Amino acid sequence: MKYNVISSFGFGNGQAIKTIKEISELNPIDNEIIFDFTGFVETNPFNILVIANSINALKAKNPNIKTKLIPNSNSTFLGHLGFYKTIGANLGKEIGEAKANNNYMPITKINFDEMQDGFYNSIEEKAQQLSALLNFDSDLSGFSKYIFIETIRNVYEHAETNNLLLCAQKWPTMDLVEIAIVDNGIGIANALKKRIKGKTEKELMYMAALPGISAKSNHAFLDKDDCWRNSGYGLYVLREFSKAYNGSFMLCSKNIALHQINGKVKECSTFFEGTAVAIRFRTNLEIDFNSTRRDIVRKAQKLAKNNPQAIKEASKSSGGNYIP
């Protein structure tokens, strides 16, 4: 059978939500799927990562299925980013082969076992390196570094997987950036069920980005009181920052995707094996990152006080202090 992977200009991320659900449901009679990327014309970080992850999940679940692809002959960008090699096709560059420039970061894999001197001794340095590739001013560099720290550590602490993929894109003419991170772990609802009982998947998805709501960490020492203490404030802070920077926030896991634009959340039915986070923000706004973060964390802690299931105080790292 042939499956057409469509990504139209202006609709790529929305189409991806539908596409990954359809990919998860593919069941070819002849045990062969040809993925046709001829109509894949908008290559956003979120849509390329979730589609790549979904194709890989389908192959892992159905090892007898043979997959082939028809690339978009009018564009070499997918191949340059490492997309085709990510899904196991012998086409384009390897993951990590292409070099980032001021306008994009190709598909990048982070393996936690390869982070030197232990995860928490190197995460701030890794996030700083990733942020520097995008060549922002000090405030936007601080924000992008914070995105990488909070999303990468969430995967490490809760997803029960050893690696993740990330990608970033600038659109200078639109003063717009998107950063996306995906993993193939247990998903948000399954992680939160370890600590919060009696809630549906939908309820847990909405709770995930509230202040002070966190799954039990996979690493017991992170439930202790130090700067990296597991406190559940990171996603909420990122949500609020996306509003401050006039952008958007996407959270996608298992059967639900939540897309926040202009402070309003749209819920979409989908299926994604793992968790995906995407943040868009404007680069032409004068925002003091550190003072804005302090204000957001202060507001978050006030909200948490009224939620009996919430951790009442953000960790030092959520407030930007990474020193033990």
Side-chain angles (χ1 to χ4, degrees):
M1 67 175 291
K2 185 169 78 169
Y3 179 80
N4 296 315
V5 187
I6 305 298
S7 176
S8 308
F9 286 116
F11 300 95
N13 286 356
Q15 287 171 323
I17 295 299
K18 177 174 178 284
T19 297
I20 59 178
K21 186 175 191 298
E22 291 177 349
I23 289 173
S24 73
E25 296 169 348
L26 293 177
N27 186 23
I29 297 174
D30 57 1
N31 274 347
E32 180 179 87
I33 303 174
I34 301 171
F35 289 99
D36 187 346
F37 288 92
T38 304
F40 199 93
V41 295
E42 184 169 74
T43 52
N44 300 327
F46 175 81
N47 70 356
I48 64 173
L49 290 183
V50 296
I51 289 171
N53 200 73
S54 295
I55 291 174
N56 288 335
L58 176 71
K59 292 164 65 176
K61 186 178 179 181
N62 304 279
N64 293 327
I65 290 180
K66 297 178 181 178
T67 59
K68 298 180 181 179
L69 69 84
I70 300 173
N72 185 340
S73 59
N74 294 319
S75 174
T76 60
F77 194 51
L78 278 177
H80 178 74
L81 292 176
F83 175 83
Y84 295 128
K85 287 292 179 71
T86 302
I87 60 176
N90 189 23
L91 181 66
K93 294 183 182 295
E94 299 284 353
I95 299 176
E97 181 181 352
K99 303 300 182 184
N101 65 23
N102 290 347
N103 290 329
Y104 68 87
M105 183 185 299
I107 297 174
T108 302
K109 185 174 184 177
I110 294 182
N111 190 318
F112 300 142
D113 291 338
E114 296 175 358
M115 294 182 75
Q116 297 179 353
D117 301 322
F119 181 81
Y120 285 96
N121 291 330
S122 58
I123 183 174
E124 185 183 9
E125 180 181 357
K126 173 64 72 174
Q128 181 68 48
Q129 292 169 351
L130 292 169
S131 178
L133 294 173
L134 296 172
N135 193 28
F136 288 126
D137 62 28
S138 59
D139 281 307
L140 283 174
S141 290
F143 179 41
S144 59
K145 175 183 173 181
Y146 189 80
I147 292 172
F148 288 124
I149 287 177
E150 291 300 325
T151 52
I152 293 171
R153 69 175 290 202
N154 270 349
V155 177
Y156 176 75
E157 291 172 8
H158 306 302
E160 297 187 14
T161 186
N162 229 16
N163 56 73
L164 57 82
L165 295 175
L166 57 86
C167 188
Q169 176 75 46
K170 274 185 184 178
W171 294 277
T173 59
M174 296 188 289
D175 300 309
L176 185 66
V177 175
E178 178 176 295
I179 295 174
I181 296 93
V182 306
D183 67 70
N184 61 353
I186 62 173
I188 287 174
N190 287 333
L192 283 175
K193 285 177 183 177
K194 296 177 183 179
R195 175 168 275 168
I196 301 172
K197 308 299 182 183
K199 298 292 184 180
T200 65
E201 178 188 15
K202 179 177 177 178
E203 288 171 329
L204 291 169
M205 279 292 291
Y206 276 93
M207 292 178 69
L210 294 177
I213 301 297
S214 177
K216 186 175 178 60
S217 174
N218 296 329
H219 309 278
F221 72 91
L222 289 171
D223 286 322
K224 298 179 180 180
D225 190 13
D226 68 3
C227 69
W228 293 103
R229 176 175 53 84
N230 180 27
S231 63
Y233 282 75
L235 289 181
Y236 175 82
V237 175
L238 292 179
R239 272 184 61 198
E240 291 298 297
F241 262 121
S242 75
K243 290 192 286 187
Y245 279 101
N246 195 23
S248 64
F249 177 85
M250 178 86 81
L251 186 62
C252 179
S253 184
K254 297 298 182 182
N255 296 291
I256 297 172
L258 302 177
H259 193 192
Q260 175 182 284
I261 305 176
N262 298 325
K264 297 180 180 179
V265 177
K266 179 182 179 182
E267 178 187 325
C268 305
S269 174
T270 188
F271 185 81
F272 183 71
E273 194 72 61
T275 300
V277 177
I279 298 165
R280 285 191 173 193
F281 56 94
R282 298 287 175 181
T283 60
N284 59 342
L285 302 176
E286 295 293 331
I287 294 176
D288 185 310
F289 168 70
N290 287 316
S291 65
T292 303
R293 177 172 54 190
R294 284 194 295 270
D295 291 342
I296 292 173
V297 171
R298 195 177 296 119
K299 173 186 173 184
Q301 291 179 150
K302 288 182 179 179
L303 292 173
K305 288 181 180 178
N306 297 320
N307 186 343
Q309 294 175 305
I311 298 168
K312 308 308 179 190
E313 186 176 356
S315 65
K316 293 179 181 178
S317 57
S318 292
N321 184 354
Y322 310 115
I323 301 175

